[in-house]
Amino acid sequence: PGSWLPDRGAILFSEQDPTTNNDIKLLPLDPKGDVTIAVRTPFDEDSPEISPEGHWLAYGSNQTGRREIYVRALDGRSEQWQISNDGGIAARWSRDGKALYYASSDGQLMEVAVETNPGFRPATPRPLFKLPASPTIASPVFEDVSPDGRRFLLNVPTASQESIGFHVTANWTALVTTSSGD
């Protein structure tokens, strides 16, 4: 799976095709709706991430011979912009749609300012900080950005190989007693 469209009426996902490798498709939640193709090329396209207003699609592709981040309009136009310039995975939009973040192949979290009106115009990527682990397509390390753009959710392996246990108490409100007179 990839990302939900802002109206929650459909989800983007990637699916392997025997003739065109991984393609990005759109699955409407309406049972009468048909799956449509958002991006199909002879290369692998995956990890779709829709912009907050639902117009721009960021995704990964190996069309240059290594995985890079691209953006194109979701409306089916074939024009695309290469965002990363030295490898990239795990694209995420800022909540206001004015920035795109991704993990670079050298382990940096990158930020790209973008303008979307009247058309799409990306700035030059700039590094924000070194990630604590090397990103891969299977383990991108960078997961998401907070609504204010100041914090980042990272999936970092623990140093210990031991399992960390935790307890869940279901129906805990039934265990709470109230005192009379409050």
Tab-separated table of all heavy atoms in Angstrom, residues 21-49:
chain	number	residue	atom	x	y	z
A	21	ASN	N	7.167	-4.574	-14.682
A	21	ASN	CA	7.702	-4.490	-13.318
A	21	ASN	C	6.665	-3.893	-12.375
A	21	ASN	O	5.478	-4.088	-12.578
A	21	ASN	CB	9.032	-3.743	-13.291
A	21	ASN	CG	10.097	-4.481	-14.065
A	21	ASN	OD1	10.322	-5.659	-13.834
A	21	ASN	ND2	10.738	-3.806	-15.011
A	22	ASN	N	7.082	-3.144	-11.357
A	22	ASN	CA	6.126	-2.550	-10.414
A	22	ASN	C	5.502	-1.298	-11.005
A	22	ASN	O	6.217	-0.421	-11.500
A	22	ASN	CB	6.806	-2.191	-9.091
A	22	ASN	CG	7.086	-3.400	-8.241
A	22	ASN	OD1	6.309	-4.344	-8.227
A	22	ASN	ND2	8.181	-3.368	-7.521
A	23	ASP	N	4.180	-1.219	-10.918
A	23	ASP	CA	3.432	-0.049	-11.377
A	23	ASP	C	2.659	0.516	-10.198
A	23	ASP	O	2.374	-0.186	-9.230
A	23	ASP	CB	2.430	-0.438	-12.473
A	23	ASP	CG	3.114	-1.011	-13.700
A	23	ASP	OD1	4.186	-0.514	-14.066
A	23	ASP	OD2	2.552	-1.958	-14.281
A	24	ILE	N	2.289	1.791	-10.297
A	24	ILE	CA	1.481	2.423	-9.258
A	24	ILE	C	0.048	2.498	-9.749
A	24	ILE	O	-0.219	2.951	-10.865
A	24	ILE	CB	2.029	3.812	-8.898
A	24	ILE	CG1	3.431	3.666	-8.303
A	24	ILE	CG2	1.093	4.520	-7.915
A	24	ILE	CD1	4.133	4.955	-8.015
A	25	LYS	N	-0.858	2.043	-8.893
A	25	LYS	CA	-2.271	1.986	-9.252
A	25	LYS	C	-3.108	2.679	-8.192
A	25	LYS	O	-2.654	2.906	-7.072
A	25	LYS	CB	-2.713	0.533	-9.413
A	25	LYS	CG	-1.949	-0.166	-10.531
A	25	LYS	CD	-2.384	-1.591	-10.710
A	25	LYS	CE	-1.603	-2.244	-11.851
A	25	LYS	NZ	-2.034	-3.623	-12.067
A	26	LEU	N	-4.348	2.999	-8.574
A	26	LEU	CA	-5.289	3.684	-7.708
A	26	LEU	C	-6.500	2.786	-7.496
A	26	LEU	O	-7.139	2.367	-8.458
A	26	LEU	CB	-5.707	5.000	-8.359
A	26	LEU	CG	-6.632	5.907	-7.591
A	26	LEU	CD1	-5.901	6.527	-6.407
A	26	LEU	CD2	-7.149	7.008	-8.504
A	27	LEU	N	-6.792	2.471	-6.244
A	27	LEU	CA	-7.915	1.611	-5.891
A	27	LEU	C	-8.993	2.447	-5.213
A	27	LEU	O	-8.807	2.909	-4.092
A	27	LEU	CB	-7.466	0.499	-4.939
A	27	LEU	CG	-8.562	-0.384	-4.356
A	27	LEU	CD1	-9.223	-1.222	-5.437
A	27	LEU	CD2	-7.994	-1.267	-3.254
A	28	PRO	N	-10.137	2.669	-5.886
A	28	PRO	CA	-11.221	3.404	-5.228
A	28	PRO	C	-11.906	2.518	-4.191
A	28	PRO	O	-11.964	1.298	-4.350
A	28	PRO	CB	-12.170	3.745	-6.379
A	28	PRO	CG	-11.866	2.763	-7.447
A	28	PRO	CD	-10.441	2.318	-7.250
A	29	LEU	N	-12.416	3.134	-3.131
A	29	LEU	CA	-13.113	2.368	-2.109
A	29	LEU	C	-14.550	2.060	-2.514
A	29	LEU	O	-15.177	1.199	-1.923
A	29	LEU	CB	-13.080	3.104	-0.780
A	29	LEU	CG	-11.682	3.272	-0.204
A	29	LEU	CD1	-11.752	3.888	1.173
A	29	LEU	CD2	-10.957	1.940	-0.135
A	30	ASP	N	-15.050	2.727	-3.517
A	30	ASP	CA	-16.375	2.426	-4.052
A	30	ASP	C	-16.332	1.044	-4.694
A	30	ASP	O	-15.522	0.803	-5.594
A	30	ASP	CB	-16.744	3.477	-5.098
A	30	ASP	CG	-18.091	3.230	-5.754
A	30	ASP	OD1	-18.722	2.181	-5.490
A	30	ASP	OD2	-18.525	4.104	-6.517
A	31	PRO	N	-17.164	0.106	-4.235
A	31	PRO	CA	-17.119	-1.251	-4.776
A	31	PRO	C	-17.352	-1.324	-6.290
A	31	PRO	O	-16.949	-2.272	-6.939
A	31	PRO	CB	-18.235	-1.996	-4.027
A	31	PRO	CG	-18.603	-1.139	-2.883
A	31	PRO	CD	-18.161	0.252	-3.178
A	32	LYS	N	-17.992	-0.299	-6.852
A	32	LYS	CA	-18.245	-0.291	-8.297
A	32	LYS	C	-17.100	0.352	-9.075
A	32	LYS	O	-17.095	0.321	-10.291
A	32	LYS	CB	-19.549	0.442	-8.598
A	32	LYS	CG	-20.760	-0.260	-8.018
A	32	LYS	CD	-22.018	0.498	-8.295
A	32	LYS	CE	-23.187	-0.217	-7.614
A	32	LYS	NZ	-24.419	0.526	-7.725
A	33	GLY	N	-16.139	0.933	-8.363
A	33	GLY	CA	-15.018	1.584	-9.024
A	33	GLY	C	-13.980	0.584	-9.497
A	33	GLY	O	-13.825	-0.493	-8.920
A	34	ASP	N	-13.281	0.929	-10.548
A	34	ASP	CA	-12.242	0.065	-11.096
A	34	ASP	C	-10.861	0.569	-10.713
A	34	ASP	O	-10.645	1.773	-10.587
A	34	ASP	CB	-12.331	0.021	-12.628
A	34	ASP	CG	-13.592	-0.687	-13.106
A	34	ASP	OD1	-14.021	-1.651	-12.447
A	34	ASP	OD2	-14.139	-0.261	-14.147
A	35	VAL	N	-9.928	-0.346	-10.562
A	35	VAL	CA	-8.535	0.010	-10.341
A	35	VAL	C	-8.026	0.696	-11.600
A	35	VAL	O	-8.271	0.228	-12.721
A	35	VAL	CB	-7.686	-1.245	-10.029
A	35	VAL	CG1	-6.203	-0.909	-9.985
A	35	VAL	CG2	-8.129	-1.863	-8.715
A	36	THR	N	-7.348	1.836	-11.424
A	36	THR	CA	-6.759	2.539	-12.562
A	36	THR	C	-5.253	2.629	-12.372
A	36	THR	O	-4.747	2.537	-11.258
A	36	THR	CB	-7.345	3.960	-12.718
A	36	THR	OG1	-7.138	4.686	-11.498
A	36	THR	CG2	-8.829	3.914	-13.036
A	37	ILE	N	-4.561	2.821	-13.474
A	37	ILE	CA	-3.099	2.913	-13.439
A	37	ILE	C	-2.696	4.376	-13.320
A	37	ILE	O	-3.125	5.216	-14.109
A	37	ILE	CB	-2.495	2.276	-14.693
A	37	ILE	CG1	-2.834	0.781	-14.697
A	37	ILE	CG2	-0.993	2.505	-14.755
A	37	ILE	CD1	-2.528	0.070	-15.972
A	38	ALA	N	-1.881	4.678	-12.310
A	38	ALA	CA	-1.375	6.035	-12.117
A	38	ALA	C	-0.025	6.209	-12.802
A	38	ALA	O	0.232	7.231	-13.427
A	38	ALA	CB	-1.262	6.354	-10.633
A	39	VAL	N	0.862	5.216	-12.692
A	39	VAL	CA	2.183	5.268	-13.331
A	39	VAL	C	2.529	3.866	-13.815
A	39	VAL	O	2.548	2.925	-13.024
A	39	VAL	CB	3.294	5.757	-12.366
A	39	VAL	CG1	4.628	5.870	-13.110
A	39	VAL	CG2	2.925	7.074	-11.709
A	40	ARG	N	2.822	3.757	-15.107
A	40	ARG	CA	3.263	2.482	-15.675
A	40	ARG	C	4.375	2.775	-16.684
A	40	ARG	O	4.169	3.504	-17.650
A	40	ARG	CB	2.133	1.763	-16.390
A	40	ARG	CG	2.632	0.489	-17.103
A	40	ARG	CD	1.547	-0.247	-17.827
A	40	ARG	NE	0.868	-1.101	-16.859
A	40	ARG	CZ	-0.305	-1.668	-17.084
A	40	ARG	NH1	-0.952	-1.468	-18.203
A	40	ARG	NH2	-0.840	-2.434	-16.159
A	41	THR	N	5.548	2.230	-16.419
A	41	THR	CA	6.692	2.339	-17.327
A	41	THR	C	7.377	0.975	-17.328
A	41	THR	O	6.988	0.101	-16.566
A	41	THR	CB	7.696	3.416	-16.852
A	41	THR	OG1	8.394	2.931	-15.710
A	41	THR	CG2	7.021	4.748	-16.556
A	42	PRO	N	8.426	0.795	-18.108
A	42	PRO	CA	9.162	-0.474	-18.046
A	42	PRO	C	10.005	-0.632	-16.774
A	42	PRO	O	10.611	-1.659	-16.564
A	42	PRO	CB	10.082	-0.416	-19.272
A	42	PRO	CG	9.627	0.716	-20.100
A	42	PRO	CD	8.845	1.622	-19.227
A	43	PHE	N	10.024	0.397	-15.918
A	43	PHE	CA	10.849	0.384	-14.707
A	43	PHE	C	9.997	0.086	-13.483
A	43	PHE	O	8.779	-0.007	-13.564
A	43	PHE	CB	11.558	1.731	-14.555
A	43	PHE	CG	12.297	2.137	-15.793
A	43	PHE	CD1	11.763	3.073	-16.658
A	43	PHE	CD2	13.511	1.549	-16.112
A	43	PHE	CE1	12.442	3.430	-17.820
A	43	PHE	CE2	14.184	1.899	-17.263
A	43	PHE	CZ	13.656	2.843	-18.123
A	44	ASP	N	10.653	-0.044	-12.329
A	44	ASP	CA	9.943	-0.216	-11.061
A	44	ASP	C	9.501	1.146	-10.535
A	44	ASP	O	10.327	2.046	-10.385
A	44	ASP	CB	10.853	-0.850	-10.006
A	44	ASP	CG	10.990	-2.345	-10.161
A	44	ASP	OD1	10.047	-2.985	-10.655
A	44	ASP	OD2	12.046	-2.879	-9.782
A	45	GLU	N	8.227	1.285	-10.262
A	45	GLU	CA	7.700	2.454	-9.550
A	45	GLU	C	7.026	1.935	-8.296
A	45	GLU	O	6.257	0.985	-8.351
A	45	GLU	CB	6.667	3.222	-10.383
A	45	GLU	CG	7.218	3.851	-11.636
A	45	GLU	CD	7.104	2.946	-12.839
A	45	GLU	OE1	6.238	2.051	-12.858
A	45	GLU	OE2	7.903	3.127	-13.768
A	46	ASP	N	7.333	2.567	-7.171
A	46	ASP	CA	6.750	2.109	-5.914
A	46	ASP	C	6.714	3.236	-4.902
A	46	ASP	O	7.098	4.360	-5.191
A	46	ASP	CB	7.529	0.915	-5.357
A	46	ASP	CG	8.999	1.178	-5.205
A	46	ASP	OD1	9.385	2.318	-4.872
A	46	ASP	OD2	9.794	0.256	-5.415
A	47	SER	N	6.236	2.926	-3.717
A	47	SER	CA	6.164	3.860	-2.583
A	47	SER	C	5.438	5.155	-2.936
A	47	SER	O	5.959	6.249	-2.737
A	47	SER	CB	7.569	4.167	-2.057
A	47	SER	OG	8.251	2.986	-1.745
A	48	PRO	N	4.207	5.063	-3.456
A	48	PRO	CA	3.485	6.284	-3.834
A	48	PRO	C	3.074	7.101	-2.624
A	48	PRO	O	2.648	6.566	-1.604
A	48	PRO	CB	2.255	5.743	-4.565
A	48	PRO	CG	2.051	4.370	-4.024
A	48	PRO	CD	3.417	3.854	-3.695
A	49	GLU	N	3.220	8.400	-2.741
A	49	GLU	CA	2.860	9.335	-1.674
A	49	GLU	C	2.173	10.534	-2.319
A	49	GLU	O	2.768	11.249	-3.123
A	49	GLU	CB	4.118	9.769	-0.919
A	49	GLU	CG	3.873	10.665	0.241
A	49	GLU	CD	3.314	9.962	1.465
A	49	GLU	OE1	3.292	8.717	1.516
A	49	GLU	OE2	2.888	10.677	2.389
